[in-house]
Amino acid sequence: MSATSDASPAAQDRATLGNELRSKTIENAAAQASMQPWVAMECYQLSRGCRVSQVHTLDLGSQQIVQEHQFASVQKLGSTPADYCTISYSTPSSAFRFSDHAASGTESIYFMPERTDFDIYVPAGTQTAYISFSEREFLEAARGLNPAAWDLPSRQVSQLQCAQLGALKAALTQWLCAAETAAIAGDELAPDVLRAIMLETVLRIVAANAGDNSILPPLSARARALQICRMAREYVDERLAVHALPTIVDICVSLAVSERTLLYAFHAYVGMSPQAYLRLCRLNHVRSTLLAGNPTTTVTGAAMQMGFLHLSRFAGDYKQVFEETPKATLARRS
């Protein structure tokens, strides 16, 4: 397997090759989140496409590797558990955003500590990857290698520069390929050995080479935009949960911000207007309802519950985003 290259549909959709390794083409954003159960996360599709992503995961218990090739733009919202941290990277994209950090160069990586809320926007065509560790184990070793850089690590998402990012990418791909080869041959993965190799390799690439000033402070304007949009998102979710449809006016009044401020914030947040984002949130809610498997669910009921009263227009918008009709989604529900 080349974890970053396209494979045949049969290969992409194959079931678990072993207890630890999975490779799957994702057609519903919620499934992209469910393939990573070690993190509390929601995933929403924000651009058109019947395929959302190609995801490869390797779960070794206390450590995981995830590689994702995004076919449609998505937003990921979640929080990391206790004693859990990640090192991640993205292919360069001016639109990519990791909380209040942008991909500011070809050598950017991100450190996310335990108990951290995250909000990630991944545009279509972007490839991302992360490797997770026990935070206690990772920081203990990182301080030993470079105490000046890791003695007091940030308690939020931090952006670092890594001169050996190419080596990190190659290592993650190599480990996924080795796991697949072993699974196909029926061999044991020896997870303890692989975990030790992964920790040492990542530490030598990332921790030992981090300079004292490698952690870049977030831009205040971007941080402010993220705060506004997080509050807007929470407000929208609360209203939709009780089947009350929020308007832009409602959001501005609730957050005490002007429509212009909200517009600028959302363009920095997800590269679109708040109106477009709100409509996509509602479309994603309808899609989740249709796929939920409730035998009493109908397309009309699900659409109208989310405020889509013009059903033909709704069906057209739905097909444009998800590249299938609402009826087709309902027909293949779990």
Side-chain angles (χ1 to χ4, degrees):
M1 172 185 72
S2 175
T4 58
S5 63
D6 290 335
S8 66
Q12 291 174 335
D13 292 324
R14 61 178 170 261
T16 303
L17 291 169
N19 293 330
E20 299 87 8
L21 182 67
R22 299 183 69 195
S23 177
K24 187 175 183 181
T25 298
I26 302 297
E27 297 181 348
N28 173 29
Q32 187 167 343
S34 67
M35 280 191 70
Q36 302 162 61
W38 44 85
V39 176
M41 177 170 63
E42 294 178 291
C43 189
Y44 299 91
Q45 182 176 344
L46 297 184
S47 73
R48 65 178 300 173
C50 60
R51 292 191 307 164
V52 177
S53 63
Q54 174 72 26
V55 180
H56 307 274
T57 66
L58 177 61
D59 183 5
L60 298 173
S62 61
Q63 292 173 202
Q64 292 87 26
I65 295 176
V66 177
Q67 279 191 337
E68 300 168 297
H69 185 157
Q70 216 62 51
F71 303 128
S73 301
V74 295
Q75 181 184 20
K76 301 176 182 180
L77 300 163
S79 181
T80 53
D83 194 29
Y84 178 97
C85 68
T86 63
I87 294 291
S88 61
Y89 61 83
S90 164
T91 53
S93 169
S94 59
F96 175 81
R97 175 183 54 75
F98 196 140
S99 292
D100 53 359
H101 299 281
S104 62
T106 58
E107 297 181 341
S108 291
I109 62 172
Y110 306 90
F111 171 75
M112 182 163 59
E114 66 174 358
R115 298 188 177 95
T116 298
D117 294 333
F118 59 86
D119 184 330
I120 307 171
Y121 174 68
V122 188
T126 303
Q127 296 182 33
T128 60
Y130 70 83
I131 182 168
S132 66
F133 301 97
S134 156
E135 183 180 280
R136 177 193 55 77
E137 185 177 20
F138 181 87
L139 289 181
E140 182 178 301
R143 291 186 185 108
L145 289 171
N146 193 341
W150 294 92
D151 191 41
L152 293 172
S154 173
R155 301 316 303 166
Q156 58 185 352
V157 176
S158 300
Q159 187 175 16
L160 304 91
Q161 296 302 301
C162 178
Q164 299 184 52
L165 180 55
L168 179 62
K169 292 179 179 180
L172 264 64
T173 299
Q174 180 184 32
W175 294 329
L176 285 170
C177 290
E180 181 179 20
T181 300
I184 291 174
D187 295 332
E188 292 294 328
L189 272 174
D192 290 343
V193 174
L194 187 53
R195 282 196 296 263
I197 292 172
M198 288 161 54
L199 178 61
E200 180 183 13
T201 302
V202 173
L203 282 168
R204 291 180 67 86
I205 291 173
V206 177
N209 294 289
D212 294 351
N213 299 315
S214 61
I215 297 180
L216 307 178
L219 298 175
S220 58
R222 184 175 290 274
R224 172 61 176 159
L226 179 64
Q227 181 184 24
I228 290 171
C229 294
R230 276 179 174 167
M231 292 190 297
R233 174 81 202 201
E234 290 172 0
Y235 177 80
V236 168
D237 282 347
E238 289 171 1
R239 300 299 289 165
L240 292 178
V242 296
H243 311 307
L245 300 176
T247 66
I248 299 302
V249 173
D250 293 334
I251 296 172
C252 290
V253 171
S254 175
L255 273 58
V257 298
S258 70
E259 185 175 4
R260 181 180 293 270
T261 298
L262 191 69
L263 178 65
Y264 289 157
F266 267 90
H267 273 289
Y269 185 58
V270 285
M272 65 181 66
S273 71
Q275 291 92 337
Y277 180 80
L278 181 57
R279 189 170 186 82
L280 282 165
C281 286
R282 291 159 55 208
L283 284 170
N284 274 270
H285 273 277
V286 173
R287 185 169 175 81
S288 294
T289 300
L290 296 178
L291 288 168
N294 188 329
T296 63
T297 298
T298 65
V299 170
T300 298
M304 296 189 72
Q305 191 176 62
M306 286 294 108
F308 295 106
L309 305 182
H310 195 304
L311 295 179
S312 61
R313 186 181 303 161
F314 155 75
D317 289 347
Y318 187 98
K319 186 174 182 179
Q320 184 178 37
V321 174
F322 303 117
E323 297 189 354
E324 68 177 8
T325 65
K327 288 183 179 180
T329 301
L330 186 63
R332 63 185 183 84
R333 62 190 173 189
S334 56

